[in-house]
Amino acid sequence: MALSTAIWLVSAVIVSLIGFLTLNRTQRDVVFRRLGLIRHGVSRPNTPLLEKQTLSKPLATSTSDLLSTLPPSQRGQLNGLVEKMPPAQRQAMGDLSFDANTFVHSLLGFEEDYRTAADSKYCYSGFSVKELKALGDFPDYSAISEVPMPQPYLEFDIDRAKPRPYRPFRWAYHQTMSLTKLETDWWMELESTYKTRIAQRKELYAKHGESVLQWLPGSELACKELMEMVLQFLCARYPQYFVLSADKSQLENRILGTVLVIKEKHPLLILLDNVPEDFGIMLRNPETGYYHFRAGLICSALGWNVGTKIGMKLHEIHQPIPDYKEKMQFSMDRYFSKMPANKPIQRGSWGLEVDQPLFMPPGDPHEGYRDIQDKTLTRSRIHLRVDWQTLRRLPLSGAIVFNFKALFTPLEEFRDEPYVPSLILKVLTEGKQSIMKYKNTWHTEHVVVPALREYEKEQIEKGVIEKDWEPKTLDDSPWFPGWEKKWHASQGF
């Protein structure tokens, strides 16, 4: 923490001392943690770039632990922002004083809309309603979150762009989250299917409604904040395609040839119209400390949908996953409770699919493919599906956003990718039975396994890989050797 920030925080505590002394021990602990003055024995997980991290042993053992734990606040970034504000906005922000007693006793309710709440109330992120309103539309989220904006990708061509070839295979294969630090230039990755996917997703919403897009009371700030952060990212990363008007009231999308008045639609509908990415918004319940799924736009779910999960706690959402309750629930609950806004993370999940199923709710006819090994199935119909996922805390609302995009790769692509066929073979043939059953690859294995053995043999014969190579997670996972050359060649830039 910078020295100026530390001084500001300590000063705030001193100013609030009288009110603070009236609090009980648990409330005092909460305030101390919010100000960064108490450190617990276990530090926050650190996720170095492209270095795999298994979540630590269970840290939370009771609801009371979660209830007394709040995420690190980004309040310290306000001083720098206020210095750059025009006088009227600076006056609206107030003096930035922080009263501990007011904060603890004035948290916004779980379903409370910040827009109609009293200015003296606080979001659990540490920002007052007065401050949230004064910040207005499209504040500098990179400064508030301390996550840098992306570099402009000026050579990017939407008509030729291919997704990077993610291969998130691991061995030994255990049920862990396998988290890495987010590559901030790639939070939102566009490619040549953009127009098709946007149209497909809008059709899904028109047909399925709240099964793919829904928001609950209390998510208003998080939805607005997410939409603004995404649009800021797109305009910075792809300035040749996305432009915000000078007054930030309109978005020009030069790929689709549209101009949207931002406030005419709900923030999630703005995302639906412009971003082929899925988003789930998790918010903290102030009465329990648990995080609940409170808003989402998810058009790429297999076997579930927004309507079946909305309102659930984190562990309720993950109930079907093998070993989650025994090995991951407590750690993930605590991880959510302590995750800082300035350390977003990424991970990948994968499956093998017949064709390219994007949205498959329970009971979908495509589920029938998973019940049999079709003898007429050909290699050309089998695809690797990778859901490349990111997880980040929004700095103002304190919401945790889970976003992902489904990417499909034909099986044949593995033929010239060093070590990839051998690694997938190892997982398919020796992976833990309960995990592989959940992953549900059986319906493709009668075609995939022989193909992979053929590719592996070719790679050994051509000297691409060592004959005695023992399959393991690749050193640069999720990348294979030579991936950049192949990727650039496939898209021509």
Side-chain angles (χ1 to χ4, degrees):
M1 183 180 295
L3 180 59
S4 60
T5 302
I7 293 173
W8 177 83
L9 289 171
V10 173
S11 299
V13 175
I14 294 174
V15 169
S16 307
L17 183 58
I18 295 176
F20 176 76
L21 292 175
T22 67
L23 306 179
N24 62 37
R25 182 174 180 178
T26 299
Q27 292 172 329
R28 291 181 186 180
D29 287 346
V30 171
V31 174
F32 274 131
R33 276 191 290 275
R34 300 297 293 115
L35 298 176
L37 300 177
I38 284 182
R39 301 285 293 185
H40 288 285
V42 181
S43 60
R44 286 198 302 271
N46 183 29
T47 54
L49 181 60
L50 294 181
E51 179 177 313
K52 295 302 180 187
Q53 171 182 310
T54 301
L55 289 179
S56 56
K57 296 294 183 180
L59 297 173
T61 57
S62 67
T63 301
S64 62
D65 292 333
L66 297 176
L67 184 59
S68 62
T69 302
L70 289 165
S73 178
Q74 296 297 117
R75 275 193 62 87
Q77 304 306 309
L78 285 179
N79 288 327
L81 265 65
V82 168
E83 292 175 359
K84 302 175 183 179
M85 290 179 178
Q89 187 179 17
R90 191 181 307 164
Q91 183 177 2
M93 288 292 294
D95 61 5
L96 303 185
S97 62
F98 182 90
D99 182 82
N101 187 54
T102 301
F103 168 71
V104 171
H105 292 101
S106 301
L107 290 177
L108 285 166
F110 193 39
E111 298 187 349
E112 192 167 6
D113 186 342
Y114 82 104
R115 296 172 299 183
T116 56
D119 285 355
S120 60
K121 286 206 164 186
Y122 279 82
C123 181
Y124 62 85
S125 62
F127 294 88
S128 71
V129 169
K130 178 179 181 179
E131 293 160 347
L132 294 171
K133 293 177 180 177
L135 283 169
D137 300 328
F138 292 93
D140 186 349
Y141 286 108
S142 65
I144 301 172
S145 66
E146 299 180 282
V147 176
M149 292 295 287
Q151 295 297 310
Y153 196 0
L154 300 179
E155 64 271 33
F156 178 82
D157 183 344
I158 190 65
D159 294 321
R160 296 186 294 155
K162 305 296 181 185
R164 296 189 297 170
Y166 300 98
R167 305 291 184 261
F169 307 111
R170 292 176 283 123
W171 189 266
Y173 189 47
H174 304 295
Q175 192 65 287
T176 66
M177 294 303 288
S178 190
L179 309 174
T180 66
K181 182 179 178 181
L182 175 66
E183 299 170 277
T184 53
D185 281 352
W186 298 96
W187 182 36
M188 300 289 148
E189 183 175 0
L190 305 185
E191 30 91 18
S192 59
T193 64
Y194 177 87
K195 292 181 181 178
T196 302
R197 286 287 186 246
I198 290 292
Q200 186 178 18
R201 291 161 65 85
K202 292 175 75 170
E203 289 175 5
L204 284 170
Y205 178 56
K207 180 178 180 180
H208 297 283
E210 290 189 344
S211 291
V212 298
L213 192 156
Q214 194 174 159
W215 60 88
L216 298 181
S219 66
E220 294 82 9
L221 175 59
C223 290
K224 172 181 181 289
E225 183 179 15
L226 172 63
M227 179 270 293
E228 291 178 346
M229 290 178 69
V230 171
L231 296 193
Q232 281 187 351
F233 177 94
L234 292 178
C235 291
R237 182 62 168 165
Y238 308 104
Q240 66 272 48
Y241 293 119
F242 298 93
V243 180
L244 275 176
S245 61
D247 64 358
K248 301 177 182 178
S249 66
Q250 298 182 14
L251 173 71
E252 179 184 1
N253 183 326
R254 294 174 179 171
I255 302 173
L256 301 177
T258 58
V259 176
L260 294 175
V261 178
I262 293 172
K263 291 194 174 181
E264 287 184 351
K265 288 189 172 184
H266 187 276
L268 293 186
L269 296 176
I270 297 292
L271 294 178
L272 175 70
D273 290 344
N274 294 277
V275 190
E277 190 96 13
D278 288 348
F279 301 93
I281 296 176
M282 306 288 294
L283 286 165
R284 181 182 184 274
N285 187 333
E287 296 181 1
T288 66
Y290 282 108
Y291 281 74
H292 294 245
F293 179 31
R294 299 294 294 175
L297 161 57
I298 298 177
C299 298
S300 310
L302 299 181
W304 64 280
N305 57 55
V306 171
T308 63
K309 300 289 187 179
I310 196 76
M312 286 186 176
K313 300 174 185 175
L314 182 64
H315 66 268
E316 293 171 340
I317 293 172
H318 291 93
Q319 185 274 329
I321 297 178
D323 300 335
Y324 184 87
K325 181 177 181 180
E326 295 80 8
K327 296 183 178 181
M328 299 170 65
Q329 177 178 329
F330 287 135
S331 293
M332 286 303 298
D333 283 337
R334 176 55 65 91
Y335 190 82
F336 267 54
S337 70
K338 297 181 69 176
M339 184 183 187
N342 60 5
K343 292 186 178 180
I345 56 177
Q346 63 187 20
R347 69 179 297 270
S349 67
W350 63 273
L352 296 170
E353 301 294 343
V354 176
D355 302 325
Q356 298 187 34
L358 186 67
F359 178 70
M360 194 170 71
D364 188 276
H366 199 279
E367 282 188 330
Y369 284 117
R370 296 172 174 241
D371 298 330
I372 60 172
Q373 288 189 334
D374 183 357
K375 293 181 179 180
T376 67
L377 183 63
T378 60
R379 293 181 184 181
S380 62
R381 293 187 61 194
I382 297 177
H383 295 77
L384 167 72
R385 171 176 163 145
V386 170
D387 290 346
W388 194 247
Q389 309 161 356
T390 68
L391 193 71
R392 68 186 303 169
R393 187 181 296 280
L394 306 187
L396 297 181
S397 64
I400 287 185
V401 171
F402 167 82
N403 65 282
F404 70 96
K405 182 177 184 177
L407 302 169
F408 293 92
T409 303
L411 174 65
E412 182 68 22
E413 288 293 316
F414 300 150
R415 183 184 291 271
D416 64 356
E417 297 178 354
Y419 305 106
V420 172
S422 301
L423 184 52
I424 306 174
L425 265 175
K426 189 76 169 180
V427 175
L428 293 180
T429 58
E430 299 183 31
K432 185 177 179 181
Q433 185 176 1
S434 61
I435 297 177
M436 298 313 299
K437 183 177 179 180
Y438 173 75
K439 191 163 284 292
N440 209 350
T441 58
W442 175 81
H443 64 299
T444 66
E445 290 177 13
H446 64 299
V447 177
V448 172
V449 170
L452 294 176
R453 287 187 173 134
E454 177 184 319
Y455 303 160
E456 180 184 50
K457 181 180 178 182
E458 288 180 6
Q459 291 189 4
I460 293 173
E461 291 175 347
K462 293 178 180 179
V464 175
I465 67 172
E466 303 83 358
K467 184 177 181 180
D468 58 351
W469 184 71
E470 186 64 31
K472 62 184 179 65
T473 302
L474 299 179
D475 292 339
D476 293 324
S477 181
W479 316 117
F480 55 88
W483 74 271
E484 288 182 290
K485 182 178 180 180
K486 178 177 181 177
W487 174 54
H488 288 305
S490 70
Q491 63 182 9
F493 64 89

